[in-house]
Amino acid sequence: MPAFSSDVVRRPDRHRSMTFADNRKLAWSEWGPQDGMPLLFFTGAGMAGTLGFGVEHLERLSIRLIAPDRPGLGGSDPDPAKTLTTVAMDMAALLDELAIDKIAVAAFSQGAPFSMALANLGRVERLAIIAGQDDLNTLCLFEALPDEVSHMVVQAGRDPSGLATWLEGFADADGLFDLILSMSAPTDREIYRADPFATAYRTALHEGFAQGPEGYALDTAAAMSPWPFDPADISCPVTLWYGELDTSPVHSPDKGTTLAGRLPDAERRLLADEGSALLWSRSEQILRDLMTVNA
Protein backbone atom coordinates (compact mmCIF):
# COMPACT_ATOMS: atom_id res chain seq x y z
CA MET A 1 0.00 0.00 0.00
CA PRO A 2 1.54 3.37 -0.97
CA ALA A 3 2.39 5.92 1.71
CA PHE A 4 -0.19 8.61 2.27
CA SER A 5 0.40 12.11 0.92
CA SER A 6 0.37 15.29 2.99
CA ASP A 7 -3.16 16.00 1.67
CA VAL A 8 -4.45 12.98 3.62
CA VAL A 9 -3.11 14.19 6.97
CA ARG A 10 -3.24 17.96 6.66
CA ARG A 11 -3.80 20.10 9.74
CA PRO A 12 -7.36 21.20 10.55
CA ASP A 13 -8.94 23.99 8.55
CA ARG A 14 -10.49 25.49 11.68
CA HIS A 15 -10.29 25.20 15.48
CA ARG A 16 -13.35 26.05 17.55
CA SER A 17 -14.52 25.80 21.15
CA MET A 18 -17.52 26.31 23.42
CA THR A 19 -17.99 26.66 27.17
CA PHE A 20 -20.46 24.56 29.17
CA ALA A 21 -22.61 25.85 32.01
CA ASP A 22 -20.05 24.46 34.49
CA ASN A 23 -17.32 26.55 32.77
CA ARG A 24 -15.61 23.57 31.17
CA LYS A 25 -14.34 24.22 27.65
CA LEU A 26 -14.91 21.78 24.79
CA ALA A 27 -12.60 22.16 21.78
CA TRP A 28 -12.89 20.67 18.34
CA SER A 29 -11.23 20.71 14.92
CA GLU A 30 -12.90 21.01 11.53
CA TRP A 31 -12.08 20.29 7.92
CA GLY A 32 -14.07 20.86 4.75
CA PRO A 33 -16.67 23.46 3.76
CA GLN A 34 -18.53 25.09 6.62
CA ASP A 35 -21.82 24.64 4.77
CA GLY A 36 -21.16 20.97 3.99
CA MET A 37 -22.98 17.97 5.46
CA PRO A 38 -21.87 17.80 9.12
CA LEU A 39 -20.08 14.62 10.18
CA LEU A 40 -18.98 14.06 13.78
CA PHE A 41 -15.75 12.07 14.22
CA PHE A 42 -14.76 10.24 17.43
CA THR A 43 -10.99 9.73 17.39
CA GLY A 44 -9.06 6.78 18.77
CA ALA A 45 -7.31 6.38 22.12
CA GLY A 46 -5.41 9.36 23.51
CA MET A 47 -5.79 11.48 20.39
CA ALA A 48 -6.75 15.10 20.08
CA GLY A 49 -9.19 15.73 17.25
CA THR A 50 -6.42 17.10 15.04
CA LEU A 51 -5.92 14.00 12.88
CA GLY A 52 -8.96 13.70 10.66
CA PHE A 53 -9.72 11.17 7.97
CA GLY A 54 -10.75 11.49 4.34
CA VAL A 55 -9.86 15.17 4.43
CA GLU A 56 -8.71 15.05 0.81
CA HIS A 57 -12.28 14.18 -0.24
CA LEU A 58 -14.28 16.63 1.88
CA GLU A 59 -14.48 19.58 -0.53
CA ARG A 60 -15.56 17.37 -3.43
CA LEU A 61 -18.12 15.53 -1.30
CA SER A 62 -19.25 18.71 0.50
CA ILE A 63 -18.70 17.27 3.99
CA ARG A 64 -17.82 19.26 7.12
CA LEU A 65 -15.78 16.98 9.39
CA ILE A 66 -16.07 17.87 13.09
CA ALA A 67 -13.58 16.15 15.45
CA PRO A 68 -13.96 16.97 19.17
CA ASP A 69 -11.29 16.63 21.82
CA ARG A 70 -12.86 14.47 24.52
CA PRO A 71 -12.61 15.97 28.04
CA GLY A 72 -9.02 16.14 29.26
CA LEU A 73 -7.59 15.62 25.77
CA GLY A 74 -6.19 18.37 23.56
CA GLY A 75 -7.92 21.69 24.19
CA SER A 76 -10.91 20.34 26.14
CA ASP A 77 -10.99 20.84 29.89
CA PRO A 78 -10.90 17.69 32.04
CA ASP A 79 -13.94 16.05 33.59
CA PRO A 80 -12.84 13.92 36.57
CA ALA A 81 -16.25 12.21 36.55
CA LYS A 82 -15.99 11.24 32.88
CA THR A 83 -17.98 8.22 31.70
CA LEU A 84 -19.40 7.11 28.37
CA THR A 85 -22.65 8.83 29.31
CA THR A 86 -21.11 12.16 30.37
CA VAL A 87 -19.11 12.35 27.13
CA ALA A 88 -22.25 11.58 25.14
CA MET A 89 -24.03 14.41 26.96
CA ASP A 90 -21.12 16.75 26.15
CA MET A 91 -21.39 15.80 22.48
CA ALA A 92 -25.15 16.36 22.56
CA ALA A 93 -24.47 19.86 23.95
CA LEU A 94 -22.03 20.42 21.07
CA LEU A 95 -24.76 19.46 18.60
CA ASP A 96 -27.10 21.91 20.33
CA GLU A 97 -24.43 24.61 20.00
CA LEU A 98 -24.19 23.87 16.27
CA ALA A 99 -28.00 23.76 15.90
CA ILE A 100 -27.89 20.13 14.75
CA ASP A 101 -30.58 17.69 15.88
CA LYS A 102 -29.16 14.41 14.52
CA ILE A 103 -25.82 13.91 12.82
CA ALA A 104 -23.89 11.29 10.88
CA VAL A 105 -21.04 9.89 13.00
CA ALA A 106 -17.80 8.03 12.33
CA ALA A 107 -15.86 6.45 15.22
CA PHE A 108 -12.44 4.81 15.25
CA SER A 109 -11.06 2.28 17.75
CA GLN A 110 -11.61 3.49 21.34
CA GLY A 111 -13.94 6.19 20.04
CA ALA A 112 -16.56 3.56 19.22
CA PRO A 113 -18.10 3.13 22.71
CA PHE A 114 -18.43 6.91 23.08
CA SER A 115 -20.16 7.20 19.72
CA MET A 116 -22.64 4.46 20.61
CA ALA A 117 -23.43 6.23 23.88
CA LEU A 118 -24.37 9.28 21.80
CA ALA A 119 -26.45 7.10 19.49
CA ASN A 120 -28.22 5.75 22.56
CA LEU A 121 -29.31 9.34 23.30
CA GLY A 122 -31.03 9.43 19.90
CA ARG A 123 -28.73 12.09 18.39
CA VAL A 124 -27.13 9.97 15.63
CA GLU A 125 -28.63 9.67 12.16
CA ARG A 126 -26.21 7.06 10.84
CA LEU A 127 -23.11 5.55 12.48
CA ALA A 128 -19.92 4.09 11.03
CA ILE A 129 -17.73 2.11 13.45
CA ILE A 130 -14.23 1.58 12.04
CA ALA A 131 -11.95 -0.98 13.75
CA GLY A 132 -14.06 -0.26 16.81
CA GLN A 133 -13.77 -1.47 20.38
CA ASP A 134 -16.71 -3.60 21.52
CA ASP A 135 -17.98 -4.08 25.10
CA LEU A 136 -15.08 -6.25 26.25
CA ASN A 137 -17.09 -7.41 29.27
CA THR A 138 -19.25 -9.52 26.94
CA LEU A 139 -18.35 -13.08 27.91
CA CYS A 140 -17.47 -14.47 24.48
CA LEU A 141 -15.22 -11.44 23.82
CA PHE A 142 -13.69 -11.37 27.30
CA GLU A 143 -12.61 -15.00 26.96
CA ALA A 144 -10.73 -14.14 23.75
CA LEU A 145 -8.66 -11.35 25.30
CA PRO A 146 -4.97 -11.70 26.21
CA ASP A 147 -4.38 -11.78 29.97
CA GLU A 148 -3.02 -8.23 30.24
CA VAL A 149 -6.15 -6.82 28.59
CA SER A 150 -8.63 -9.02 30.46
CA HIS A 151 -7.08 -7.94 33.77
CA MET A 152 -7.68 -4.30 32.81
CA VAL A 153 -11.29 -5.06 31.87
CA VAL A 154 -11.89 -6.72 35.25
CA GLN A 155 -10.34 -3.73 37.04
CA ALA A 156 -12.45 -1.31 34.98
CA GLY A 157 -15.59 -3.11 36.11
CA ARG A 158 -14.59 -3.25 39.78
CA ASP A 159 -12.75 0.03 40.26
CA PRO A 160 -12.58 2.27 37.14
CA SER A 161 -10.99 5.14 39.07
CA GLY A 162 -8.30 2.76 40.29
CA LEU A 163 -7.58 1.62 36.74
CA ALA A 164 -7.37 5.24 35.61
CA THR A 165 -4.95 6.09 38.42
CA TRP A 166 -2.78 3.11 37.51
CA LEU A 167 -2.68 4.16 33.85
CA GLU A 168 -1.80 7.73 34.79
CA GLY A 169 1.32 6.42 36.50
CA PHE A 170 3.06 5.50 33.27
CA ALA A 171 1.03 6.42 30.16
CA ASP A 172 2.39 8.99 27.73
CA ALA A 173 2.05 9.84 24.06
CA ASP A 174 5.19 8.10 22.82
CA GLY A 175 4.49 5.00 24.88
CA LEU A 176 0.96 4.78 23.50
CA PHE A 177 2.22 5.14 19.94
CA ASP A 178 4.71 2.32 20.54
CA LEU A 179 1.96 0.18 22.11
CA ILE A 180 -0.29 0.73 19.09
CA LEU A 181 2.54 -0.31 16.79
CA SER A 182 3.23 -3.43 18.86
CA MET A 183 -0.41 -4.53 18.57
CA SER A 184 -0.75 -3.71 14.88
CA ALA A 185 -0.41 -6.04 11.92
CA PRO A 186 2.56 -5.57 9.57
CA THR A 187 0.31 -3.92 6.96
CA ASP A 188 -0.76 -1.33 9.55
CA ARG A 189 2.73 -0.76 10.96
CA GLU A 190 3.91 0.04 7.45
CA ILE A 191 1.37 2.86 7.29
CA TYR A 192 1.69 4.11 10.87
CA ARG A 193 5.50 4.30 10.71
CA ALA A 194 5.74 6.16 7.38
CA ASP A 195 5.80 9.94 7.13
CA PRO A 196 3.89 12.14 6.81
CA PHE A 197 1.32 9.91 8.54
CA ALA A 198 3.60 8.90 11.43
CA THR A 199 4.34 12.51 12.31
CA ALA A 200 0.64 13.46 12.10
CA TYR A 201 -0.38 10.52 14.30
CA ARG A 202 2.33 11.27 16.87
CA THR A 203 1.37 14.95 16.87
CA ALA A 204 -2.29 14.13 17.54
CA LEU A 205 -1.21 11.93 20.48
CA HIS A 206 1.14 14.58 21.91
CA GLU A 207 -1.64 17.14 21.62
CA GLY A 208 -4.01 14.66 23.25
CA PHE A 209 -1.62 14.25 26.20
CA ALA A 210 -0.84 17.99 26.45
CA GLN A 211 -2.64 18.22 29.83
CA GLY A 212 -1.11 14.97 31.08
CA PRO A 213 -2.32 11.35 30.95
CA GLU A 214 -5.58 11.76 32.90
CA GLY A 215 -7.82 12.29 29.86
CA TYR A 216 -6.53 9.14 28.17
CA ALA A 217 -6.68 7.14 31.42
CA LEU A 218 -10.29 8.09 32.13
CA ASP A 219 -11.26 7.38 28.51
CA THR A 220 -9.75 3.91 28.75
CA ALA A 221 -11.43 3.14 32.08
CA ALA A 222 -14.79 4.28 30.68
CA ALA A 223 -14.44 2.33 27.43
CA MET A 224 -13.41 -0.86 29.25
CA SER A 225 -16.17 -0.65 31.87
CA PRO A 226 -19.49 -2.42 31.26
CA TRP A 227 -21.47 -0.24 28.90
CA PRO A 228 -24.28 1.69 30.65
CA PHE A 229 -26.64 1.14 27.72
CA ASP A 230 -27.90 -1.77 25.64
CA PRO A 231 -26.82 -1.71 21.97
CA ALA A 232 -30.24 -3.21 21.19
CA ASP A 233 -31.70 0.22 22.02
CA ILE A 234 -29.69 1.97 19.28
CA SER A 235 -32.14 2.49 16.44
CA CYS A 236 -30.02 4.25 13.81
CA PRO A 237 -28.35 2.31 10.98
CA VAL A 238 -24.82 1.20 11.92
CA THR A 239 -22.11 0.03 9.56
CA LEU A 240 -19.26 -1.93 11.14
CA TRP A 241 -15.99 -1.72 9.19
CA TYR A 242 -13.24 -4.20 10.10
CA GLY A 243 -10.11 -5.43 8.41
CA GLU A 244 -9.40 -9.15 8.36
CA LEU A 245 -5.72 -8.35 9.01
CA ASP A 246 -6.37 -6.27 12.14
CA THR A 247 -4.49 -7.82 15.07
CA SER A 248 -5.28 -5.32 17.83
CA PRO A 249 -6.75 -7.15 20.86
CA VAL A 250 -8.60 -4.04 22.02
CA HIS A 251 -10.63 -3.76 18.86
CA SER A 252 -13.49 -6.21 18.57
CA PRO A 253 -11.84 -9.62 19.11
CA ASP A 254 -14.32 -11.17 16.66
CA LYS A 255 -14.15 -8.20 14.27
CA GLY A 256 -17.66 -7.01 14.94
CA THR A 257 -19.58 -10.28 14.70
CA THR A 258 -21.03 -10.12 18.22
CA LEU A 259 -21.70 -6.39 18.04
CA ALA A 260 -23.53 -6.75 14.74
CA GLY A 261 -25.81 -9.30 16.38
CA ARG A 262 -26.60 -6.96 19.29
CA LEU A 263 -27.54 -3.96 17.13
CA PRO A 264 -31.02 -3.92 15.56
CA ASP A 265 -29.93 -2.27 12.28
CA ALA A 266 -26.32 -3.20 11.56
CA GLU A 267 -24.28 -4.17 8.52
CA ARG A 268 -20.83 -5.69 9.03
CA ARG A 269 -18.20 -5.23 6.34
CA LEU A 270 -15.06 -7.33 6.74
CA LEU A 271 -12.36 -6.36 4.24
CA ALA A 272 -9.88 -9.13 3.51
CA ASP A 273 -6.89 -6.95 2.57
CA GLU A 274 -7.16 -4.34 5.35
CA GLY A 275 -6.11 -3.91 8.96
CA SER A 276 -6.95 -1.15 11.43
CA ALA A 277 -5.73 1.61 9.10
CA LEU A 278 -8.75 1.14 6.82
CA LEU A 279 -10.12 4.38 8.30
CA TRP A 280 -7.62 6.18 6.08
CA SER A 281 -7.12 3.69 3.24
CA ARG A 282 -10.89 3.31 2.67
CA SER A 283 -11.92 6.80 3.75
CA GLU A 284 -13.79 7.78 0.59
CA GLN A 285 -15.84 4.58 0.70
CA ILE A 286 -16.70 5.20 4.36
CA LEU A 287 -17.62 8.84 3.72
CA ARG A 288 -19.82 8.04 0.74
CA ASP A 289 -21.62 5.40 2.76
CA LEU A 290 -22.32 7.94 5.51
CA MET A 291 -23.64 10.41 2.95
CA THR A 292 -26.62 8.11 2.32
CA VAL A 293 -28.29 9.73 5.34
CA ASN A 294 -29.14 12.62 3.04
CA ALA A 295 -29.82 10.54 -0.07
Side-chain angles (χ1 to χ4, degrees):
M1 183 178 294
F4 294 132
S5 70
S6 57
D7 289 341
V8 175
V9 292
R10 75 170 191 264
R11 295 293 292 173
D13 298 333
R14 297 173 295 278
H15 294 283
R16 299 184 62 188
S17 66
M18 63 176 287
T19 303
F20 297 122
D22 62 1
N23 289 322
R24 284 187 301 116
K25 183 176 77 171
L26 179 74
W28 68 92
S29 301
E30 293 188 5
W31 295 259
Q34 296 191 60
D35 61 351
M37 185 194 89
L39 171 60
L40 190 67
F41 174 43
F42 285 80
T43 60
M47 299 169 66
T50 51
L51 177 59
F53 80 99
V55 297
E56 72 276 29
H57 306 300
L58 300 179
E59 290 289 340
R60 176 165 43 85
L61 297 178
S62 191
I63 293 175
R64 173 189 178 189
L65 186 67
I66 302 164
D69 298 343
R70 291 191 287 277
L73 299 175
S76 291
D77 288 337
D79 178 4
K82 180 164 59 171
T83 65
L84 296 184
T85 301
T86 64
V87 173
M89 293 174 66
D90 285 349
M91 297 304 118
L94 170 59
L95 296 183
D96 292 341
E97 174 78 9
L98 299 175
I100 298 170
D101 180 24
K102 292 186 177 183
I103 193 169
V105 173
F108 174 63
S109 188
Q110 195 178 87
F114 296 96
S115 72
M116 283 186 274
L118 180 63
N120 185 63
L121 295 182
R123 302 299 298 267
V124 177
E125 194 168 16
R126 185 179 184 91
L127 175 59
I129 299 294
I130 304 99
Q133 181 178 321
D134 201 338
D135 184 350
L136 300 179
N137 294 274
T138 307
L139 183 59
C140 64
L141 303 179
F142 180 84
E143 292 176 338
L145 297 173
D147 288 346
E148 60 270 25
V149 178
S150 64
H151 291 160
M152 291 174 65
V153 171
V154 170
Q155 178 72 357
R158 292 176 178 171
D159 181 14
S161 62
L163 174 62
T165 299
W166 176 71
L167 288 168
E168 287 178 42
F170 63 87
D172 61 29
D174 290 329
L176 180 55
F177 183 75
D178 291 342
L179 178 64
I180 291 167
L181 287 181
S182 72
M183 296 189 300
S184 297
T187 184
D188 290 322
R189 286 198 297 271
E190 183 179 350
I191 292 171
Y192 294 155
R193 283 174 170 164
D195 276 326
F197 190 86
T199 295
Y201 202 145
R202 283 183 178 273
T203 298
L205 288 172
H206 277 276
E207 291 172 340
F209 277 80
Q211 302 178 61
E214 181 184 18
Y216 159 73
L218 289 173
D219 266 16
T220 300
M224 286 189 168
S225 297
W227 290 358
F229 58 87
D230 186 344
D233 294 331
I234 294 175
S235 59
C236 69
V238 182
T239 305
L240 304 170
W241 299 82
Y242 287 92
E244 184 68 60
L245 303 180
D246 190 353
T247 57
S248 172
V250 293
H251 296 162
S252 176
D254 64 359
K255 298 180 171 62
T257 301
T258 298
L259 185 57
R262 299 174 70 197
L263 292 161
D265 187 2
E267 178 182 357
R268 175 175 170 264
R269 299 182 184 176
L270 183 63
L271 307 183
D273 58 345
E274 296 283 357
S276 64
L278 79 167
L279 175 65
W280 293 278
S281 59
R282 296 296 183 105
S283 58
E284 183 173 9
Q285 187 178 351
I286 293 166
L287 290 170
R288 287 189 178 277
D289 185 73
L290 283 165
M291 290 178 69
T292 61
V293 297
N294 286 347

